[in-house]
Amino acid sequence: MSPRHPERSPAIERRAYRSPDWLVAQADLHFVLDRGDTRVHSRLEVSRNPDGGDAAAPLVLNGAGLETVAVKVDGRDLSDDKYTVQGETLTLDLAGDEAVVETIVDIHPDANTALEGLYAAGDMLLTQCEAEGFRKITWYPDRPDVMAKFRVRLEADREAFPVLLSNGNCVESGELDGGRHYTVWEDPFAKPSYLFAVVAGKLAVLEDEFTTSSGRKVDLKVWSEPENLPKLDWAMASLKQSMAWDEERFGLEYDLDVYHIVATHDFNMGAMENKSLNVFNARYVLADQDTATDADFEAIESVIGHEYFHNWTGNRVTCRDWFQLTLKEGLTVFRDQEFTSDLRSRGVKRIQTAANLKARQFPEDAGPMAHPVRPERYVEINNFYTATVYEKGSEVVRMYQTLLGRDGFRKGMDLYFERHDGQAVTCDDFLAAMADANGRDLGQFERWYRQTGTPVLRASLRREGDETVLTLAQRLPDHPDNRGIGPLMIPVQVGFLDGDNRSLPVTLADEDKPGPETRLLVLDQPESEFRFRDLPEGAVPSLLRDFSAPVKLVFDWSPEELARLAGFDPDPVNRHQAMRRLSERVLDGAITGSTLPAEVELLERAWAAVLDDKTIDPALAAELLSLPSENELAQDRDPVDVEAIHRARSELRTYLAGALESRLVACVDALAPQGPWSGAGEATAARAWRNRCLEILAYAGLDSGAMRARRQFEAADNMTDRMAALRALVLAGHEGADEALKAFEQRYRDDALVMDKWFSVQVMRPHGSAVETIAELKQHPAFRMTNPNKVRAVIGVFAMHNPVAFHRADGAGYQLVGEALDELDDLNPQVAARLATAFNRWRAYGEKRGGMMKAELEKLAAKDGLSPDVGEIVTAALSTK
């Protein structure tokens, strides 16, 4: 089906929630599958909800784009005048409190470019039902608080669709006349419709098994196209690690006989946690050393963990309504972050998580679509699968653990499952479990679910006699949702360094014994003072260690103090933050002035100390020697001077590379690969450090970097090194870049995922000519506007990660993205809406650039039949003050 464009809908309000009037106990579905025309026969056992608000309410079913063939109640066919279809609802006035309602509908997977509901992808048919895709399959009360047991029969041509999968356990299969076959699946656990799944196609499988801690064997099956079977080993290993970790860390076992993962190249999101039948974007499943980078391997491990962890935090206990989305997503992001931290470097993972939040979520908090982690309203729920709901939501969950301790958090989780297994619940229910399990009053903490924007935490330090006084003050952004909320409960972890850069005990003034080197303070007032004893005068504060709360920290460190923290803070997150702050000081001076400021020498010495440290974790070193991106530097500027930011960053990179060239070259050469490739942690850390040093040399235009990049590209035996060398050559415009691109294309032209990397590196060239490059790439046979991965690799990377070209002075970048959004809105509104956020800050780019960006938004707003997905984003952007 093509996306339908209904009239603009009014916002749905959280406060307007009401319990469903009818419940579904059993859903029996019968699919006669075909790419062009699929028939779906649904049989629902419905009953009035005793907790519903209206004892006489009709049964209202949701449906979109369905061709209704028949409607029956208790076995009797209904004529058209016995039910009402209006918009996306079918209404039945039922006598009594129970009924069996049957519908037969026809749908058309091959015409479904929106990739919601049942759609065709290559040789497969598959479904995506979250958030409201199930209504594109059959008539149903499509809301998460209606939970039913499903029995599903799938019929199809055996040659076209030899594999037929659905949720739960396969209880029957057999042959039919005419070369057809069938399978029957039963899921013993009640679930909402958004967790329903069907997959049919020509698939190969990698099989294994896992024995749970209680001794039950679970069959594990990872499916993909036959040619990709050798690339499934890492996905299987990651799944088994996830299952073992969840048992050990949270005592949670898997609950069915089989667990499926299916990879597809046509998917709007990263993956979907459908009960027992996870459907994944292929980029988060397929991997080997020749086609996947170390970052890809880690992402696969993380996303497979995330979807598996949803079995309990999302499936067994789900959200009552879509306003509670962070209940399952924020919690499960936190769990996958902890999983990665336990398997890899906890400090490095936390650095990356905090940096990602600041780069992606902080701008969202400051933008026209700013919303709480639990939104108060929405027009199109697909627009709220955001960094706020996911990443900031995970930070809210992390604060529970910071406040309660790991053991206290586990007690809260245990009580949460004990109370709510098999239920659809709210964020308030989660908070209550945490509070009750620990005997804590967390009423004030609930405000984190309601506040909008990034809170500001201001700190100041003074000396009073022998005491050191730390003043902390909090402020919420000026936003209607924040009125009357009051102060938040903010956990602030602090430490101090003495004159020799050693970590000091942090002892409160009224304590007799020395305190810990990292002290947890809780700010629950607009402003509070904390007094410490036994701190020497001039002790340097390390504030917000481990990024203990998602806030903007304001404190007036001197450049010298930042350099000390960058070199010696035992907290890796604050060490990284100090290096970033020092870099930003230098860059701020260069952006507003004509030359690099004097503080650049401190930054140079700080980088030199990292390069000279033979004991440092190489993965940490790679993070420390990273500069803020141009987008990050633009975040808090108004107006944004695109050229000045690019010039300043380029100048600083060139200065540092030139001053430290010998050290950087020594690092690259010393870490040259020895022996066969390894995916072990030490090897991946060494590659990260070596490639960071190569990047610094090459991006600065140094011959020493260009020569080593060419050599590395030619000799690489893995995608991490090959891609790092290709990026260095292409983005810095070195000799040999075009030849390397041709060689890369020749080698990987039949690998869809690797070609995404080839597309992206070209559109990231920091030059206005990237606009013309995109016009050429869109004609490439590997590019399809109907494939979300390709759109993200080309249009998305250009709009979100190439500010020099996107903000080209003549507006060609804006026009390119605007035209792409117009086309995408008709094909896939979900993907289009995400890309439309590139125009959110149009007011910050001055009269000329801002005017051209606004013009593109106005063109979209005036489009006949604009989707609600894109319409909500565009309307919000144009409404900004």
Side-chain angles (χ1 to χ4, degrees):
M1 75 200 78
S2 295
R4 298 167 316 99
H5 301 318
E7 294 298 317
R8 300 285 172 83
S9 303
I12 300 169
E13 299 279 345
R14 182 174 72 89
R15 63 186 177 185
Y17 170 83
R18 50 175 293 210
S19 298
D21 294 309
W22 289 82
L23 302 175
V24 180
Q26 180 70 38
D28 295 338
L29 304 180
H30 181 180
F31 286 77
V32 182
L33 293 165
D34 182 77
R35 292 181 65 91
D37 303 291
T38 286
R39 176 154 290 189
V40 184
H41 183 173
S42 167
R43 180 183 182 276
L44 307 179
E45 297 177 11
V46 302
S47 60
R48 288 192 186 275
N49 181 6
D51 297 322
D54 184 353
L59 173 67
V60 178
L61 306 178
N62 304 108
L66 307 175
E67 296 176 7
T68 304
V69 176
V71 179
K72 296 182 181 181
V73 174
D74 294 329
R76 298 188 302 274
D77 286 306
L78 298 187
S79 57
D80 292 351
D81 60 344
K82 298 299 182 182
Y83 59 90
T84 303
V85 174
Q86 184 173 9
E88 294 190 355
T89 61
L90 185 155
T91 302
L92 289 165
D93 285 307
L94 300 178
D97 294 336
E98 296 181 349
V100 174
V101 176
E102 296 177 74
T103 60
I104 300 174
V105 302
D106 288 335
I107 54 178
H108 309 288
D110 216 13
N112 182 354
T113 62
L115 311 188
E116 294 179 285
L118 180 70
Y119 65 92
D123 290 331
M124 282 191 285
L125 295 179
L126 64 153
T127 55
Q128 171 54 34
C129 294
E130 188 175 358
E132 296 177 340
F134 191 76
R135 64 189 61 190
K136 297 184 177 182
I137 295 173
T138 189
W139 292 105
Y140 194 83
D142 190 15
R143 47 188 289 172
D145 55 354
V146 175
M147 302 176 69
K149 293 183 178 180
F150 280 73
R151 179 182 173 92
V152 180
R153 178 184 173 98
L154 306 175
E155 294 182 14
D157 179 83
R158 175 173 281 283
E159 183 178 355
F161 304 107
V163 175
L164 301 174
L165 306 173
S166 191
N167 309 89
N169 301 317
C170 185
V171 297
E172 186 181 340
S173 63
E175 302 299 319
L176 299 170
D177 293 340
R180 298 177 66 78
H181 71 131
Y182 74 95
T183 59
V184 178
W185 298 82
E186 285 187 353
D187 186 350
F189 293 95
K191 64 176 178 285
S193 53
Y194 81 84
L195 291 172
F196 174 81
V198 164
V199 174
K202 297 177 180 177
L203 296 167
V205 63
L206 174 66
E207 299 186 77
D208 205 335
E209 64 180 31
F210 180 84
T211 302
T212 68
S213 56
S214 66
R216 190 166 50 82
K217 288 188 176 180
V218 180
D219 291 329
L220 309 179
K221 301 185 180 187
V222 184
W223 302 83
S224 74
E225 300 91 343
E227 62 270 21
N228 289 322
L229 195 59
K231 299 180 183 179
L232 300 180
D233 290 336
W234 181 247
M236 180 64 80
S238 299
L239 174 58
K240 295 174 75 172
Q241 283 185 311
S242 304
M243 298 175 82
W245 182 86
D246 215 16
E247 288 186 351
E248 180 180 350
R249 180 71 183 271
F250 289 105
L252 300 174
E253 278 193 27
Y254 186 61
D255 50 14
L256 287 169
D257 298 334
V258 65
Y259 191 95
H260 300 276
I261 290 174
V262 179
T264 174
H265 288 279
D266 293 283
F267 202 67
N268 283 341
M269 298 183 287
M272 180 61 210
E273 70 268 17
N274 316 301
K275 184 74 178 184
S276 79
L277 179 53
N278 289 183
V279 177
F280 271 66
N281 190 319
R283 65 177 296 191
Y284 296 114
V285 176
L286 307 181
D288 61 23
Q289 77 178 73
D290 186 54
T291 59
T293 64
D294 292 336
D296 293 331
F297 276 97
E298 182 174 334
I300 290 168
E301 180 182 82
S302 173
V303 176
I304 283 183
H306 180 98
E307 305 308 327
Y308 174 75
F309 302 146
H310 264 313
N311 186 58
W312 280 92
T313 50
N315 296 5
R316 289 284 290 262
V317 184
T318 193
C319 47
R320 184 194 71 179
D321 53 71
W322 291 120
F323 297 103
Q324 317 295 329
L325 181 59
T326 197
L327 175 69
K328 74 182 186 77
E329 293 302 346
L331 176 55
T332 306
V333 169
F334 167 76
R335 276 158 46 75
D336 81 54
Q337 290 171 354
E338 287 292 284
F339 172 59
T340 301
S341 297
D342 285 346
L343 265 58
R344 297 173 180 264
S345 167
R346 177 166 290 275
V348 170
K349 176 60 179 177
R350 190 64 185 136
I351 287 171
Q352 294 168 343
T353 298
N356 179 61
L357 189 83
K358 292 182 176 183
R360 294 183 60 240
Q361 194 277 324
F362 279 20
E364 193 169 274
D365 259 352
M369 288 288 288
H371 55 277
V373 296
R374 182 185 59 195
E376 294 296 331
R377 65 197 63 82
Y378 63 79
V379 172
E380 173 51 64
I381 184 57
N382 285 331
N383 286 335
F384 287 83
Y385 283 73
T386 60
T388 300
V389 167
Y390 278 64
E391 276 74 29
K392 185 174 180 179
S394 76
E395 295 298 319
V396 171
V397 174
R398 185 175 296 278
M399 286 190 288
Y400 282 112
Q401 179 168 278
T402 301
L403 290 165
L404 303 173
R406 181 180 284 204
D407 290 343
F409 184 79
R410 170 65 188 271
K411 285 165 61 179
M413 289 283 283
D414 290 347
L415 183 59
Y416 176 63
F417 294 126
E418 179 185 328
R419 286 178 171 177
H420 301 298
D421 188 13
Q423 298 178 11
V425 298
T426 68
C427 297
D428 291 335
D429 293 316
F430 184 78
L431 183 146
M434 287 289 159
D436 294 348
N438 290 277
R440 292 282 296 272
D441 180 359
L442 296 177
Q444 186 176 356
F445 189 84
E446 185 271 342
R447 297 170 185 174
W448 277 105
Y449 290 102
R450 290 187 283 133
Q451 66 87 207
T452 295
T454 307
V456 174
L457 176 66
R458 292 188 177 274
S460 62
L461 202 65
R462 71 179 188 275
R463 191 81 176 179
E464 287 189 3
D466 292 335
E467 292 183 354
T468 299
V469 183
L470 175 66
T471 302
L472 298 176
Q474 59 172 296
R475 180 179 60 81
L476 288 175
D478 183 19
H479 189 280
D481 286 345
N482 291 335
R483 292 171 189 162
I485 282 184
L488 304 176
M489 180 183 288
I490 304 178
V492 184
Q493 298 196 117
V494 303
F496 288 87
L497 299 185
D498 68 10
D500 294 321
N501 297 318
R502 294 173 302 191
S503 198
L504 292 163
V506 185
T507 309
L508 294 174
D510 59 356
E511 291 180 334
D512 297 328
K513 296 180 180 179
E517 292 184 357
T518 296
R519 162 76 68 171
L520 173 62
L521 308 175
V522 179
L523 177 65
D524 56 10
Q525 299 299 318
E527 182 175 313
S528 293
E529 288 186 350
F530 301 89
R531 294 176 175 270
F532 309 103
R533 66 174 179 84
D534 299 337
L535 291 175
E537 197 163 350
V540 179
S542 170
L543 305 177
L544 208 67
R545 279 186 166 172
D546 201 42
F547 194 58
S548 56
V551 299
K552 287 186 177 181
L553 174 62
V554 179
F555 183 81
D556 189 21
W557 282 284
S558 70
E560 291 77 14
E561 288 173 327
L562 289 174
R564 289 172 59 193
L565 291 169
F568 300 101
D569 197 323
D571 180 70
V573 176
N574 272 14
R575 191 175 177 186
H576 177 263
Q577 288 300 309
M579 192 74 88
R580 275 297 178 95
R581 287 174 183 272
L582 187 55
S583 301
E584 288 166 0
R585 290 271 187 103
V586 173
L587 287 163
D588 285 345
I591 291 167
T592 56
S594 57
T595 59
L596 294 170
E599 291 93 338
V600 74
E601 295 181 4
L602 275 173
L603 182 60
E604 176 193 338
R605 290 200 295 271
W607 276 37
V610 174
L611 286 159
D612 291 341
D613 187 350
K614 304 305 179 186
T615 64
I616 194 170
D617 173 4
L620 174 59
E623 295 296 334
L624 291 174
L625 265 61
S626 63
L627 293 175
S629 71
E630 292 177 30
N631 282 337
E632 289 173 295
L633 293 169
Q635 266 185 37
D636 295 322
R637 297 181 181 278
D638 189 357
V640 177
D641 189 332
V642 176
E643 288 79 12
I645 290 173
H646 180 67
R647 172 189 52 76
R649 193 170 182 275
S650 298
E651 285 180 2
L652 178 57
R653 192 165 53 191
T654 300
Y655 171 87
L656 291 169
L660 302 169
E661 182 175 11
S662 62
R663 288 179 169 94
L664 292 163
V665 166
C667 176
V668 173
D669 292 348
L671 293 174
Q674 303 291 328
W677 176 88
S678 170
E682 289 185 4
T684 60
R687 280 193 291 272
W689 184 211
R690 180 175 190 265
N691 286 323
R692 176 71 76 202
C693 293
L694 177 67
E695 168 195 301
I696 295 166
L697 288 167
Y699 286 18
L702 298 180
D703 291 340
S704 57
M707 177 191 69
R708 284 167 173 78
R710 285 191 293 269
R711 188 189 305 159
Q712 179 168 307
F713 181 81
E714 293 166 1
D717 67 349
N718 64 88
M719 181 54 72
T720 303
D721 286 342
R722 184 173 294 114
M723 196 66 208
L726 182 66
R727 284 171 58 93
L729 292 170
V730 173
L731 299 189
H734 285 297
E735 182 181 349
D738 290 340
E739 291 77 9
L741 282 168
K742 290 176 183 176
F744 194 95
E745 179 192 17
Q746 182 68 23
R747 179 175 182 136
Y748 296 111
R749 60 187 176 187
D750 295 325
D751 189 309
L753 292 179
V754 181
M755 286 301 289
D756 290 343
K757 301 178 191 298
W758 182 79
F759 283 125
S760 292
V761 73
Q762 294 177 79
V763 302
M764 284 184 68
R765 277 175 166 154
H767 191 277
S769 62
V771 173
E772 286 71 34
T773 298
I774 289 177
E776 297 173 8
L777 293 177
K778 287 178 69 177
Q779 303 305 311
H780 193 281
F783 181 83
R784 288 189 291 124
M785 280 293 278
T786 54
N787 177 259
N789 283 349
K790 293 295 179 288
V791 171
R792 286 186 283 258
V794 177
I795 310 299
V797 167
F798 172 80
M800 304 296 187
H801 300 290
N802 190 346
V804 169
F806 177 59
H807 296 291
R808 204 170 92 171
D810 64 357
Y814 307 143
Q815 183 179 350
L816 182 152
V817 175
E819 290 173 353
L821 288 172
D822 191 341
E823 181 180 359
L824 277 169
D825 185 61
D826 293 328
L827 296 170
N828 192 323
Q830 236 184 98
V831 173
R834 282 164 172 76
L835 293 182
T837 61
F839 291 105
N840 275 353
R841 290 197 70 212
W842 63 271
R843 288 186 181 274
Y845 283 87
E847 184 176 352
K848 183 181 177 183
R849 282 190 169 103
M852 291 187 289
M853 295 173 80
K854 182 183 180 184
E856 295 299 330
L857 288 168
E858 289 174 335
K859 286 181 197 174
L860 288 167
K863 178 183 176 181
D864 183 33
L866 183 69
S867 71
D869 308 60
V870 176
E872 184 174 22
I873 301 295
V874 168
T875 300
L878 288 171
S879 300
T880 55
K881 298 292 190 292

